[in-house]
Amino acid sequence: MSDYSEKFEKMRKAGKLAAQTLDMLTENIKEGISTANIDKLGYEFIRDNGGHSAPLYYRGFKKSLCTSLNHVVCHGVPSDDRILEEGDALNVDVTAILDDHYGDTSRMFCIGKTSVKLNNLINITHESLMRAIRILKPGVRLGDIGYEIQSYVEKEGFSVVRDFCGHGIGTKFHEAPNILHYGNKNTGMELYPGMTFTIEPMINAGKFGTKTLNDGWTAVTKDKSLSAQFEHTVGITENGYEIFTESAKGYVKPPYL
């Protein structure tokens, strides 16, 4: 069995920086700020703490964070034109590179008073992520992760996006295996100690279909229903798991402050 302690130590540091970036942004994400300003704050924080933002220039992406609002499922592009308003729900996705290792995480943010349905969607999405994480240990199969999320979410009346998934991560941004957020028990490869990957369920209030806008990045729900997402980077240990991207301030889901 190869030793992965050095890898995990570097993943902890990269994950901590990504989580600290979201912690810092929590106090700044409020009505009246633009998503471009959020992006600038995130870029500067990662830079000032010795890291690099992984999305910046990745396959031509020109921003440092993804900011996905309301019916945007993922990969929303920060803009000076999009000012946060009362009732908005925002996902901010941060990936920091530190010492050639990647930490990838996202959280939802609510602007002012949000609807009961939206709050329920956000709570269910977060719970689906944590249910999947809690089963992690060597011998669990990838299909078990997807089943845990899908069975819970669909029972609550929401749907799981099929077009995007979690992924292996380490010294590369995206690597094998793909981590699907739907599936059947006892299928797929077995988890083993030293594996590192993301789980990042995207959950829609309506149907699971998505489409990508003309910018080539922004993915939205086909039926314009609301969408929510949370993401952690995790590692498999000898008898369980470790979350590399937990908030040092205890921020879990909105409301944070």
Side-chain angles (χ1 to χ4, degrees):
M1 185 74 64
S2 61
D3 179 46
Y4 52 86
S5 58
E6 184 179 351
K7 174 187 178 183
F8 270 36
E9 183 57 33
K10 291 182 177 181
M11 293 295 287
R12 278 184 205 109
K13 291 177 180 177
K16 180 180 179 182
L17 177 54
Q20 286 176 323
T21 304
L22 287 176
D23 286 350
M24 177 276 297
L25 289 172
T26 299
E27 294 158 27
N28 293 278
I29 293 176
K30 59 188 73 171
E31 188 174 1
I33 192 173
S34 71
T35 54
N37 198 352
I38 293 169
D39 180 74
K40 180 174 182 285
L41 290 170
Y43 165 79
E44 291 173 349
F45 185 86
I46 293 170
R47 179 199 64 194
D48 293 348
N49 284 277
H52 302 278
S53 173
L56 187 60
Y57 307 128
Y58 179 77
R59 296 181 179 175
F61 195 78
K62 294 179 179 177
K63 298 293 182 178
S64 297
L65 314 176
C66 293
T67 52
S68 301
L69 270 157
N70 300 329
H71 72 291
V72 178
V73 175
C74 60
H75 303 157
V77 182
S79 166
D80 287 314
D81 297 330
R82 190 51 168 98
I83 309 296
L84 297 187
E85 301 171 354
E86 176 93 12
D88 278 338
L90 175 70
N91 177 272
V92 179
D93 194 336
V94 175
T95 308
I97 312 170
L98 195 63
D99 197 9
D100 295 323
H101 285 67
Y102 288 70
D104 191 358
T105 184
S106 82
R107 291 181 212 153
M108 295 297 298
F109 297 87
C110 292
I111 311 307
K113 185 172 176 58
T114 46
S115 70
V116 171
K117 183 171 186 177
L118 173 56
N119 296 340
N120 191 32
L121 172 65
I122 289 172
N123 290 336
I124 296 299
T125 302
H126 182 265
E127 176 62 16
S128 76
L129 169 63
M130 298 314 297
R131 284 178 180 232
I133 289 175
R134 286 194 288 264
I135 68 165
L136 298 177
K137 62 181 180 181
V140 166
R141 292 180 177 270
L142 291 181
D144 299 334
I145 295 173
Y147 175 83
E148 199 68 30
I149 293 167
Q150 182 182 13
S151 59
Y152 172 67
V153 164
E154 291 182 352
K155 184 187 69 179
E156 296 292 337
F158 298 122
S159 62
V160 180
V161 169
R162 309 292 206 269
D163 296 333
F164 303 95
C165 60
H167 50 89
I169 190 170
T171 56
K172 295 179 181 175
F173 196 171
H174 298 100
E175 55 190 28
N178 288 337
I179 311 296
L180 303 183
H181 303 119
Y182 60 95
N184 298 310
K185 276 186 173 182
N186 302 313
T187 61
M189 71 175 288
E190 288 190 4
L191 306 184
Y192 57 86
M195 282 183 78
T196 51
F197 53 88
T198 73
I199 308 178
E200 47 185 296
M202 287 148 268
I203 308 302
N204 294 348
K207 296 178 180 178
F208 61 71
T210 73
K211 64 179 181 180
T212 301
L213 301 184
N214 291 336
D215 63 11
W217 287 103
T218 306
V220 301
T221 55
K222 279 187 177 177
D223 60 7
K224 295 185 169 58
S225 64
L226 293 167
S227 189
Q229 181 189 19
F230 286 89
E231 175 182 16
H232 275 310
T233 298
V234 298
I236 303 302
T237 64
E238 297 299 324
N239 53 14
Y241 63 88
E242 179 175 346
I243 302 174
F244 299 124
T245 48
E246 284 187 304
S247 166
K249 294 191 174 184
Y251 297 156
V252 175
K253 61 182 181 179
Y256 298 110
L257 302 176

